[in-house]
Structures are given as structure tokens and as C-alpha cells.
């Protein structure tokens, strides 16, 4: 018959992952009860602060659930899916930030020798904070997860402050945040970088390569604003937009992931599921926008058609990736990683 | 000199690799946390059970490090996974099984390296402090 003290402690221990509990619960309870002694009424009373003990178990539960060190094989796949989503979101933010810095440099060059308007002056200098996103992405891709988390928190806080200022008056909105579905994008990037699978490691070459290619392409798009020979000032072209380029990159990535997954039955569904979630979310939102908005609001009939085709392709491929990924996931044995 | 530093760093690199901090491309040397340092030190003399470790760490640190049970089992879980601590035996106690843990050879090696690193840091700080003493005397 367990004592009320033991039952209370076991209730807290239930917060820990099942695999962890299977290994450590009895030992933890025994160690906790070792500190307890019978009182005058015969009840077991602990000399240790119950609240402090509860908090330590809660902190342990949060840490174990974030690093997935006791996750089952299937759960571990989801940790990797979130990790890949974090990489994709940070890649987008880094490329968007680089583009906005390029725009800032373009503005500085335009106003050489003259005073720029206040709004553009603020815009030029606020771009420097976007470098934080580039640094955060670089650290995350190179496996420096703790530094990356600090940088993401800092960049997000500054982004939120800049956005609030922009709502109250001038409009130096951070390009890196505004181009990415605002707050949802920001919340996803902050939350996802805190989840790190136990066997996550640096995957720098691929991701830094993607960043360089993305920045080069978006740099060319940004240059249209400052080089009249390439195109007119802010004139829009199909694909001449960061979100369109990101959609094309996602489509290519999904096709490659599906082609690679097809012949290899034992391939992990991490990529399929991560791409399905990101592309499905973006595609669905853009599809709804294309139905809700007038063609002229989307930049004309050509631009609206490109928008619709890209959104529909994203959604279709995301559904295919999700179906293939979930089938693969079901094939995985639901056994303990450490068993 | 360089050889001595390498010798000190090698076990730390091993910990970093075993703990999953070191990827295939990059290895980060992570210094041992103070509670983990005291847990390993507590196990040097004899194998201990969970609450025994808590008491021993409290004594060794002069009451500065008071481990909560949740924190202790977070540390033990990591140390066991890294191969620095292992199960010694199980003994019945008041109707329960008590698990005793012991430090492994790798754990002793890692603790020795960490102690050497901390001693080197302390020596460097002490040298500087001693060098500053005459100046303090001159200004006071």
C-alpha cells in the first residue's frame, strides 16, 4: 500500500516520457522516499521541499521531451521532422534577410551624396538587424544549436519591436518577418529551433549551398528595383518574388523526395513529412488568397495565374508527400529506441 | 606542453562525442557541469544509491550543491548513456529495490581531466591575484 506522499510524487513523475519512466521511475520514487520519515501521526513526511522536487521533475520532463532522448522510433521521426522544418524556416528567414539587406544597400547607393527621406533612412539601417537571422541560420546549420536559439530569440524580439513601431507610425517593417506569414512563421521558427533530436548533427554544406543559391536568385530579383535596364522600378514579373522562388524550391524538393522514396522502402519519412507540412501550409494559404483576392490585387492576370498554379501544385505534392510519409511511418516498429 | 593539453582534452572530446554533441563534421568540447562533476566525485569512493549520492554531493560541496531528485536522475541518465557511470548492484530495502551506481574507468578518466582543467584555471587566476597584491598595497 503506497503512502499519500508516494502517490503525490508518482503523479508528478508521470510527466516524464514513458520510456524514461520505465527505466528510472522506481529508482526516483525510492530516492525521494528515502528522504521521508514517519511523522507523529504515522504519515510519511518528506524533509525536502515538495515544490522544488516537483519543479525539478517538470524541468527534466521538458528537457527530455525537447531533446527526444527517450523517444520511441516513431516519435523520433517527428523530432527529425520538426528539426527539418526549423532548418527550412530559418533558411527562408536568412534568404529574406539577405534580400532586405541587399535592398538596404541599394537604397544607400541611390542616395549617395544626398539626404534620404526619413522612412527610407530608417529602413536602410534597420536592415542590419536582419543579419541576426543569417547568423542564426548559419549556427543552426553548422550544429551550434544553443547559439542559434539565442540568436533566433534576439532576432524575433527585434522583429516584433520593429513591427510594433511600424504599426504605430512609420513603416520600416522587417522584410524577413513580413515576407513569411507574419507571426505564425515567427512562432514556428522560435518553437522549432528548441527541438533537437538526440542524433542531430551539423548538415552545413547542403544548407549553406541552398542559402547561397537562394540569396543569389533573390539578389537578382532585388536588383530590378535599382537597375532600370533589368526591369522598371518595383515592376513585378512572374517568379520575381521571394515567396514564388521559395514555392518553386519546395516543389523541386518534394519531387526529389518522392522520387528517392519510391524505390527505397526503408528510407526514413522525415523529409517527406517535413516538406508536406511546410508546403501544405504555404500552399493552402496561398490557394485561399488566390480565391479571395482579385487578379489585379495579385499583380495582374499573368501573375494571378502563376500564383494559382504554384499554390495548387504545392498542395497536390504536399498531399502526396504526406500520404507516402505516413505510410512509411506506419511501417516503423513502435518499439523503444533503447530497448 | 601541447601534448599535455591534448591529453587533457581527449577525454572531454570523448564525452562530447558520446553525449551526441559531436556530429560527424564538428566536435564541440563541452565542459562538465558542476553537479555532474560532484556526482562523479561522490561515486569515486564507493558505489552509492540515489539518495546516497544526494547526501554525498551535499557534503562534498559544503552544502552549495543540493541536488533535487529530478535533477539527479537527469544527470545519472546522461552519465549512464555516456558510459561514465554504470549500475553496480540492486539491494532490497524496506520492500523496495535500491539501485547502486558506480563510476566506470571512462568516468574516472573524464573526472581526472575535468579536475586538471579546473585546477589549471584556478592556478592561472591565483597567479594573477598574487601579482596584483603589491599594487593593492601601494594604493591603499
Amino acid at each position: 500500500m503506497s503512502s499519500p506522499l508516494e502517490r503525490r510524487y508518482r503523479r508528478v513523475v508521470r510527466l516524464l516520457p514513458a520510456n524514461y519512466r520505465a527505466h528510472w521511475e522506481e529508482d526516483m520514487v525510492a530516492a525521494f522516499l528515502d528522504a521521508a520519515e514517519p511523522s507523529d501521526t504515522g504519515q510519511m513526511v518528506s524533509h525536502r521541499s515538495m515544490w522544488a522536487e516537483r519543479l525539478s521533475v517538470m524541468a527534466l520532463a521538458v528537457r527530455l521531451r525537447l531533446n527526444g532522448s527517450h523517444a520511441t522510433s516513431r516519435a523520433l521521426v517527428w523530432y527529425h521532422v520538426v528539426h527539418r522544418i526549423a532548418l527550412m524556416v530559418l533558411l527562408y528567414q536568412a534568404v529574406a534577410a539577405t534580400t532586405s539587406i541587399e535592398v538596404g544597400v541599394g537604397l544607400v547607393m541611390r542616395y549617395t551624396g544626398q539626404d534620404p527621406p526619413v522612412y527610407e533612412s530608417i529602413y536602410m539601417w534597420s536592415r542590419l538587424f536582419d543579419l541576426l537571422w543569417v547568423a542564426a541560420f548559419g549556427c543552426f546549420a553548422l550544429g551550434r544549436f544553443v547559439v542559434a536559439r539565442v540568436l533566433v530569440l534576439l532576432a524575433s524580439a527585434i522583429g516584433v519591436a520593429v513591427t510594433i513601431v511600424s504599426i504605430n507610425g512609420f513603416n520600416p517593417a522587417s522584410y524577413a518577418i513580413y515576407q513569411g506569414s507574419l507571426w505564425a512563421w515567427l512562432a514556428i521558427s522560435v518553437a522549432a529551433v528548441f527541438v533537437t533530436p538526440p542524433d542531430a548533427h551539423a548538415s552545413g554544406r547542403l544548407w549553406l549551398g541552398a542559402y547561397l543559391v537562394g540569396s543569389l536568385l533573390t539578389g537578382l530579383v532585388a536588383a530590378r528595383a535599382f537597375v532600370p535596364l533589368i526591369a522598371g522600378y518595383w515592376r513585378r514579373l512572374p517568379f520575381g518574388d521571394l515567396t514564388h522562388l521559395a514555392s518553386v524550391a519546395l516543389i523541386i524538393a518534394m519531387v526529389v523526395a518522392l522520387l528517392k522514396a519510391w524505390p527505397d522502402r526503408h528510407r526514413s519519412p522525415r523529409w517527406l513529412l517535413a516538406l508536406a507540412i511546410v508546403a501544405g501550409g504555404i500552399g493552402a494559404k496561398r490557394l485561399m488568397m488566390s480565391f479571395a483576392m482579385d487578379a489585379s490585387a495579385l499583380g495582374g492576370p499573368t501573375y494571378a495565374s502563376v500564383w494559382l498554379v504554384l499554390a495548387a501544385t504545392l498542395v497536390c505534392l504536399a498531399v502526396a508527400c504526406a500520404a507516402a510519409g505516413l505510410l512509411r511511418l506506419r511501417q516503423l516498429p513502435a518499439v523503444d529506441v533503447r530497448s | 606542453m601541447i601534448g599535455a593539453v591534448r591529453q587533457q582534452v581527449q577525454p572531454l572530446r570523448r564525452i562530447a562525442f558520446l553525449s551526441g554533441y559531436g556530429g560527424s563534421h564538428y566536435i564541440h568540447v563541452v565542459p562538465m557541469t558542476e553537479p555532474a562533476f560532484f556526482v562523479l566525485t561522490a561515486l569515486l569512493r564507493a558505489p552509492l544509491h540515489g539518495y546516497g549520492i544526494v547526501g554525498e554531493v551535499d557534503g562534498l560541496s559544503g552544502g552549495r550543491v543540493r541536488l533535487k531528485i529530478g535533477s539527479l536522475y537527469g544527470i545519472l541518465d546522461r552519465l549512464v548513456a555516456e558510459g561514465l557511470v554504470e549500475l553496480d548492484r540492486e539491494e532490497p530495502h524496506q520492500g523496495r529495490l535500491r539501485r547502486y551506481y558506480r563510476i566506470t574507468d571512462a568516468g574516472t578518466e573524464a573526472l581526472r581531466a575535468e579536475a586538471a582543467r579546473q585546477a589549471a584555471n584556478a592556478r592561472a587566476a591565483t597567479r594573477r591575484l598574487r601579482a596584483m597584491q603589491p599594487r593593492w598595497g601601494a594604493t591603499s
Side-chain angles (χ1 to χ4, degrees), chain A residues 34-225:
Chain A
D34 276 343
E37 282 177 5
S39 68
D40 297 339
T41 57
Q43 292 282 337
M44 293 295 279
V45 179
S46 177
H47 296 300
R48 301 168 70 82
S49 159
M50 190 65 193
W51 270 111
E53 292 296 344
R54 273 184 189 146
L55 284 176
S56 79
V57 175
M58 284 176 197
L60 178 63
V62 170
R63 193 165 56 73
L64 290 174
R65 288 187 190 281
L66 285 178
N67 70 24
S69 59
H70 285 266
T72 59
S73 306
R74 280 188 195 174
L76 201 56
V77 168
W78 289 110
Y79 278 88
H80 282 281
V81 168
V82 175
H83 188 66
R84 275 157 179 72
I85 290 174
L87 274 165
M88 280 189 265
V89 171
L90 285 181
L91 171 65
Y92 183 93
Q93 291 289 72
V95 172
T98 308
T99 310
S100 75
I101 292 164
E102 288 160 355
V103 172
V105 171
L107 284 171
V108 170
M109 286 163 65
R110 175 186 288 168
Y111 290 110
T112 305
Q114 51 181 307
D115 289 335
V118 177
Y119 157 69
E120 294 206 343
S121 176
I122 292 167
Y123 180 87
M124 282 187 273
W125 294 111
S126 64
R127 298 311 85 217
L128 290 175
F129 290 119
D130 284 343
L131 283 171
L132 286 170
W133 283 112
V134 182
F137 166 72
C139 288
F140 203 74
L142 293 172
R144 306 267 174 181
F145 301 124
V146 177
V147 185
R149 285 170 195 153
V150 173
L151 288 170
V152 164
L153 284 177
L154 199 61
S156 305
I158 292 171
V160 169
V162 168
T163 309
I164 288 169
V165 168
S166 75
I167 291 166
N168 289 331
F170 29 81
N171 190 27
S174 172
Y175 192 97
I177 291 166
Y178 264 26
Q179 287 296 311
S181 288
L182 300 168
W183 311 106
W185 206 237
L186 194 64
I188 290 168
S189 55
V190 171
V193 292
F194 278 85
V195 176
T196 315
D199 54 344
H201 61 80
S203 44
R205 218 173 288 169
L206 169 76
W207 289 95
L208 294 179
Y211 165 73
L212 288 176
V213 172
S215 298
L216 186 71
L217 288 174
T218 53
L220 287 173
V221 173
R224 288 176 310 148

Side-chain angles (χ1 to χ4, degrees), chain B:
Chain B
M1 177 68 187
I2 294 169
V5 171
R6 271 199 193 138
Q7 240 177 354
Q8 284 187 16
V9 167
Q10 205 53 39
L12 291 175
R13 278 185 181 277
R14 187 150 173 261
I15 299 166
F17 182 75
L18 287 167
S19 63
Y21 288 109
S24 53
H25 307 287
Y26 305 88
I27 293 178
H28 308 165
V29 176
V30 182
M32 199 181 285
T33 61
E34 194 178 28
F37 178 82
F38 277 119
V39 168
L40 288 177
T41 309
L43 293 173
L44 271 181
R45 200 161 60 181
L48 289 169
H49 57 81
Y51 192 61
I53 297 172
V54 173
E56 191 72 10
V57 167
D58 192 48
L60 279 169
S61 65
R64 270 190 314 109
V65 180
R66 294 200 166 153
L67 287 174
K68 305 284 173 293
I69 304 300
S71 316
L72 169 69
Y73 281 91
I75 295 165
L76 272 181
D77 180 49
R78 269 207 309 271
L79 294 176
V80 169
E82 288 162 5
L84 307 184
V85 167
E86 64 189 5
L87 182 67
D88 182 69
R89 64 184 189 278
E90 289 182 335
E91 274 183 11
H93 173 77
Q94 293 180 346
R96 294 177 192 285
L97 272 183
R98 253 183 181 173
R99 281 186 190 158
Y100 285 73
Y101 298 91
R102 65 164 174 258
I103 190 166
T104 61
D105 290 343
T108 311
E109 193 187 346
L111 184 64
R112 189 172 288 130
E114 179 62 16
R117 191 185 70 82
Q118 289 188 19
N121 290 351
R123 276 198 301 276
T126 310
R127 265 199 308 274
R128 280 284 163 94
L129 286 166
R130 279 204 191 116
M132 284 181 78
Q133 269 170 357
R135 265 195 286 160
W136 291 344
T139 52
S140 62

